[in-house]
C-alpha cells in the first residue's frame, strides 16, 4: 500500500546518541516549515522518521522490525504511513534497506537531511528517494531557525570522527571531523536562549576537537567558544559532550576553573583500563595519560564530576586485562558511566580480530563492571548530601507540587515547593539514592 496524499502529521523516533536527538529536532523543524504537525500522542502519524543508530549489533534488525510494525498498523487502519529511515543505519545500510523494505520511501543519511523537503516532494508522488551524501557543513546552512523547546537544549558544534577506534562505526557513518563556524554557533545559541533555553549542551562526536576563528579572527578551541557563549544573557549553564582524551587542551581545562556557567561535569570515555587493549582499540592514549589528564581537571575544578564509557570483552581481553578496567573505575571514582559488551561491527578492524570473547564471559564481566560503577555512583551521590546547589527544573514530578531537574553534576534531583519548568532553584541536597537525590528548597533564583 503506497501513501497517496501529502502527510499532515509526523513522528520522529530517535535512537542512539544525543546528536541523533539534535538531528531529530532539526528534522522536525523542517517538517514544521512544511506545515506538517506532530502526531497527537497515541495516534498513528502520516509520516514516520526512524532516526537510527548503528553503534551496536541488532540496531539494523530493530529498524526492520519497526518498519514491519508500522506496515502492520497501516494495514489495520487502512492507511499506510510514509516511512523514512534516517541516521547512522541509513548511512551504513541505505541500499539494503531500500532493497529489503519496499514500504520505505526515503533513506536519508545524517549529513543529508536538510534535503528532506525535496525527498518528500518525490515521495508524495510515489517515488522513492535515497540521499547518503556527506556535504559536510552545507546541512546547517539549509536548516530553518530553532524553535522553542525545553529549558535544556542541544547544539551540535562538531561532527564526525577521524580517530578510527578499531571497534567503532562512527567514522564511517558520520564522516570526517568538521567544525561549524564560530559565528553560526553563537547565533544558534542566542536563538536557543531567546526560545527559552537556560542550559546548552554542546555536542560533537569529538566535541573538544572543535576549532574556529572567533569574531576577532583569532583561532580558538572549544574553551574559547565556551567563554564567548558564557556572555549570552539568560544562558545559565553550559555543558559539552563527548570528548576524546587526545583532543583536550589547556584552555578548555582552565575554562572549568574560570567560567562559572560551565558546569562541573566531564564525560571523558576511556573504554578500557589496560594499555594492550587500548592499543588494540587504537585509542592512542594510555591508562596513565588518561589519569594524568583527569588530575589536571581536578586541579582546575576540584568538585568536577567525571563520567565515562566502557567496553568489556574486546577481542583478546583476558581476565587480568579486564581487572585493569575495574581498577581504573576505582581510581577515577566516576559519578556515572555507560558500559557495553563489545559488539562486532561489519567493516571495522576489530570485527575480524582473533580471540573474540564468548558472550557469557562478556555478560559476566559487564555485570561485575556495572556493580563497581554503581558502587561509585552511589558513593558520589551520598557525598553530595548536605551540599547547596542549583537545580534546573526540567519537568513535574509524580505528585502535585513535586519537581524534577538536574544538579550541576548532572544528578537527577527532585524537590517539593513552588516552581515552574525552566526555573533555577537553589536547594540543599538532603538525601541521596543510587539514581537520584532529594533537595530542600532554599531560594528560587530565576524564572
Ligand atoms: N565519540 C565518543 C563516543 C562514541 S560512541 C568517544 O569516542 O568516546 C559511544 C560509546 O559506544 C563509545 O564510547 C563506546 O563505549 C561504545 N561503543 C562504540 N562502538 C562499540 C562497539 N562496537 N561495541 C560496544 N560498544 C561500542
Ligand atoms: Fe568511535 Fe573512537 Fe571516534 Fe569515539 S573516537 S566516535 S569511539 S572512532
Ligand atoms: Fe549511534 Fe550514529 Fe550516534 S551510530 S551513537 S547515532 S553517531
Amino acid at each position: 500500500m503506497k501513501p497517496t496524499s501529502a502527510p499532515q502529521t509526523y513522528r520522529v523516533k530517535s535512537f542512539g546518541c544525543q546528536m541523533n536527538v539534535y538531528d531529530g529536532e532539526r528534522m522536525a523543524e523542517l517538517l514544521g516549515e512544511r506545515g506538517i504537525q506532530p502526531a497527537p500522542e497515541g495516534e498513528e502519524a502520516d509520516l514516520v522518521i526512524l532516526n537510527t543508530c548503528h553503534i551496536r549489533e541488532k540496531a539494523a534488525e530493530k529498524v526492520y522490525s519497526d518498519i514491519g510494525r508500522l506496515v502492520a498498523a497501516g494495514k489495520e487502519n487502512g492507511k499506510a504511513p510514509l516511512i523514512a529511515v534516517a541516521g547512522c543505519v541509513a548511512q551504513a545500510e541505505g541500499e539494503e534497506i531500500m532493497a529489503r523494505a519496499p514500504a520505505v520511501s526515503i533513506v536519508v543519511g545524517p549529513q543529508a537531511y536538510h534535503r528532506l523537503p525535496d525527498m518528500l516532494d518525490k515521495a508524495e508522488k510515489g517515488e522513492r528517494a535515497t540521499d547518503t551524501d556527506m556535504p559536510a557543513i552545507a546541512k546547517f546552512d539549509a536548516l530553518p531557525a530553532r524553535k522553542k523547546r525545553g529549558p535544556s537544549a542541544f547544539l551540535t558544534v562538531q561532527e564526525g570522527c577521524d580517530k578510527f577506534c578499531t571497534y567503532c562505526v562512527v567514522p564511517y557513518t558520520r564522516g570526517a571531523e568538521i567544525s561549524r563556524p564560530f559565528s553560526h554557533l553563537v547565533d544558534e545559541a542566542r536563538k536557543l536562549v531567546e526560545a527559552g533555553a537556560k542550559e546548552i549542551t554542546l555536542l560533537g562526536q569529538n566535541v573538544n576537537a572543535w576549532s574556529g576563528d572567533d569574531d576577532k579572527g583569532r583561532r580558538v578551541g572549544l574553551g574559547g567558544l565556551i567563554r564567548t557563549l558564557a556572555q549570552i544573557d539568560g544562558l545559565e549553564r553550559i555543558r559539552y559532550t563527548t570528548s576524546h582524551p587526545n583532543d583536550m587542551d589547556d584552555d578548555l581545562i582552565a575554562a572549568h576553573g574560570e567560567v562559572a556557567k560551565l558546569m562541573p561535569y566531564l564525560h571523558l570515555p576511556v573504554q578500557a583500563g589496560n594499555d594492550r587493549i587500548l592499543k588494540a582499540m587504537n585509542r592512542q592514549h594510555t591508562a596513565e595519560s588518561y589519569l594524568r589528564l583527569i588530575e589536571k581537571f581536578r586541579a582546575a575544578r576540584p568538585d568536577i564530576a567525571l563520567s565515562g564509557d566502557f567496553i568489556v570483552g574486546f577481542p583478546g581481553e583476558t581476565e587480568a586485562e579486564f581487572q585493569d578496567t575495574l581498577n581504573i573505575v576505582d581510581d577515577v571514582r566516576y559519578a556515572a558511566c555507560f558500559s557495553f559488551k563489545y559488539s562486532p561491527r561489519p567493516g571495522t578492524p576489530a570485527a575480524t580480530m582473533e580471540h573474540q570473547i564468548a558472550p557469557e564471559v562478556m555478560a559476566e564481566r559487564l555485570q561485575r563492571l556495572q556493580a563497581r560503577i554503581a558502587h561509585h555512583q552511589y558513593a558520589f551521590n551520598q557525598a553530595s548530601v548536605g551540599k547547596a546547589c542549583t537545580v534546573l527544573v526540567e519537568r513535574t514530578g509524580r505528585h502535585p507540587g513535586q519537581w524534577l531537574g538536574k544538579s550541576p553534576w548532572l544528578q537527577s534531583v527532585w524537590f517539593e515547593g513552588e516552581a515552574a519548568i525552566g526555573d533555577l532553584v537553589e536547594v540543599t541536597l538532603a538525601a541521596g539514592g543510587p539514581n537520584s537525590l532529594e533537595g530542600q528548597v532554599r531560594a528560587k533564583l530565576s524564572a
Side-chain angles (χ1 to χ4, degrees), residues 285-305:
H285 58 75
T286 61
E288 186 55 35
S289 67
Y290 175 84
L291 290 171
R292 273 206 306 273
L293 188 57
I294 284 181
E295 273 170 28
K296 284 192 186 179
F297 274 94
R298 287 192 165 139
R301 179 80 205 222
D303 71 338
I304 197 161

Side-chain angles (χ1 to χ4, degrees), residues 15-17 19-20 52-55 88 169-170 173-174 205:
F15 306 89
C17 62
M19 196 168 296
N20 256 14
T52 59
C53 174
H54 199 49
I55 202 82
C88 290
V169 290
V170 170
T173 62
R174 292 275 170 170
Q205 266 90 31

Side-chain angles (χ1 to χ4, degrees), residues 337-419:
C337 280
F338 300 96
S339 50
F340 312 99
K341 286 185 256 185
Y342 167 72
S343 170
R345 310 307 295 127
T348 60
T352 50
M353 284 180 186
E354 287 183 342
H355 307 299
Q356 300 280 326
I357 304 298
E360 57 277 13
V361 174
M362 286 206 251
E364 193 273 334
R365 286 182 189 168
L366 187 67
Q367 213 172 29
R368 272 189 286 158
L369 175 61
Q370 291 186 337
R372 197 65 71 97
I373 289 167
H375 165 81
H376 289 290
Q377 182 172 326
Y378 186 53
F380 182 82
N381 285 348
Q382 286 297 102
S384 308
V385 172
K387 280 190 188 166
C389 69
T390 58
V391 172
L392 178 60
V393 181
E394 290 177 354
R395 51 198 173 91
T396 52
R398 218 174 293 156
H399 307 292
Q402 218 178 57
W403 303 92
L404 284 172
K406 293 276 165 36
S407 77
W409 306 283
L410 212 59
Q411 296 149 301
S412 292
V413 179
W414 68 271
F415 65 86
E416 277 170 9
E418 286 284 302

Side-chain angles (χ1 to χ4, degrees), residues 125-174:
K125 285 187 261 166
E127 296 167 31
R128 303 175 89 197
T130 303
D131 193 338
T132 50
D133 277 1
M134 291 200 171
I137 214 79
K139 169 177 77 185
F140 295 101
D141 295 334
L143 293 170
R146 302 308 317 266
K147 298 269 161 25
K148 190 172 174 57
R149 302 213 162 240
S152 182
F154 290 135
L155 170 53
T156 293
V157 304
Q158 181 279 344
E159 271 202 80
C161 182
D162 300 339
K163 305 288 187 290
F164 291 93
C165 300
T166 52
Y167 51 80
C168 184
V169 290
V170 170
Y172 311 99
T173 62
R174 292 275 170 170

Side-chain angles (χ1 to χ4, degrees), residues 91-366:
Q91 188 67 39
E93 296 184 11
E95 276 173 31
E96 289 103 296
I97 294 169
M98 276 301 191
R100 253 179 77 178
V104 171
S105 300
I106 293 174
V107 164
V108 61
Q111 307 304 4
Y113 64 76
H114 56 295
R115 299 190 190 137
L116 255 181
D118 290 345
M119 302 176 84
L120 278 169
D121 288 342
K122 273 191 171 176
E124 286 168 15
K125 285 187 261 166
E127 296 167 31
R128 303 175 89 197
T130 303
D131 193 338
T132 50
D133 277 1
M134 291 200 171
I137 214 79
K139 169 177 77 185
F140 295 101
D141 295 334
L143 293 170
R146 302 308 317 266
K147 298 269 161 25
K148 190 172 174 57
R149 302 213 162 240
S152 182
F154 290 135
L155 170 53
T156 293
V157 304
Q158 181 279 344
E159 271 202 80
C161 182
D162 300 339
K163 305 288 187 290
F164 291 93
C165 300
T166 52
Y167 51 80
C168 184
V169 290
V170 170
Y172 311 99
T173 62
R174 292 275 170 170
E177 290 182 4
I178 55 134
S179 292
R180 293 180 65 194
F182 180 90
S183 62
H184 296 201
L185 297 172
V186 177
D187 277 356
E188 189 169 329
R190 283 219 177 87
K191 299 225 165 72
L192 287 168
V193 173
E194 281 162 22
K198 296 280 172 62
E199 173 178 272
I200 292 182
T201 302
L202 309 176
L203 298 181
Q205 266 90 31
N206 290 289
V207 68
N208 57 337
W210 182 88
S211 71
D213 294 329
D214 73 3
D215 43 359
K216 296 183 185 68
R218 290 174 306 206
R219 197 84 190 148
V220 291
L222 191 66
L225 178 65
I226 287 170
R227 288 171 202 274
T228 302
L229 296 181
Q231 289 162 20
I232 298 175
D233 281 341
L235 179 61
E236 306 290 348
R237 289 177 161 196
I238 301 170
R239 300 180 184 277
Y240 62 93
T241 196
T242 296
S243 299
H244 191 286
N246 292 4
D247 288 323
M248 248 347 147
D249 67 28
D250 289 343
D251 184 54
L252 182 55
I253 299 173
H256 274 276
E258 294 163 10
V259 181
K261 291 181 182 178
L262 181 57
M263 291 295 102
Y265 189 93
L266 175 66
H267 182 59
L268 192 64
V270 65
Q271 313 297 353
N274 175 271
D275 287 346
R276 192 191 72 83
I277 295 294
L278 287 171
K279 192 154 200 279
M281 286 177 162
N282 192 33
R283 287 293 295 182
Q284 315 233 28
H285 58 75
T286 61
E288 186 55 35
S289 67
Y290 175 84
L291 290 171
R292 273 206 306 273
L293 188 57
I294 284 181
E295 273 170 28
K296 284 192 186 179
F297 274 94
R298 287 192 165 139
R301 179 80 205 222
D303 71 338
I304 197 161
L306 273 305
S307 76
D309 290 347
F310 290 93
I311 297 175
V312 301
F314 186 81
E317 185 188 65
T318 64
E319 171 61 25
E321 287 165 342
F322 169 67
Q323 288 287 337
D324 286 340
T325 293
L326 296 177
N327 292 340
I328 206 165
V329 169
D330 287 343
D331 284 343
V332 176
R333 292 169 279 116
Y334 292 95
C337 280
F338 300 96
S339 50
F340 312 99
K341 286 185 256 185
Y342 167 72
S343 170
R345 310 307 295 127
T348 60
T352 50
M353 284 180 186
E354 287 183 342
H355 307 299
Q356 300 280 326
I357 304 298
E360 57 277 13
V361 174
M362 286 206 251
E364 193 273 334
R365 286 182 189 168
L366 187 67

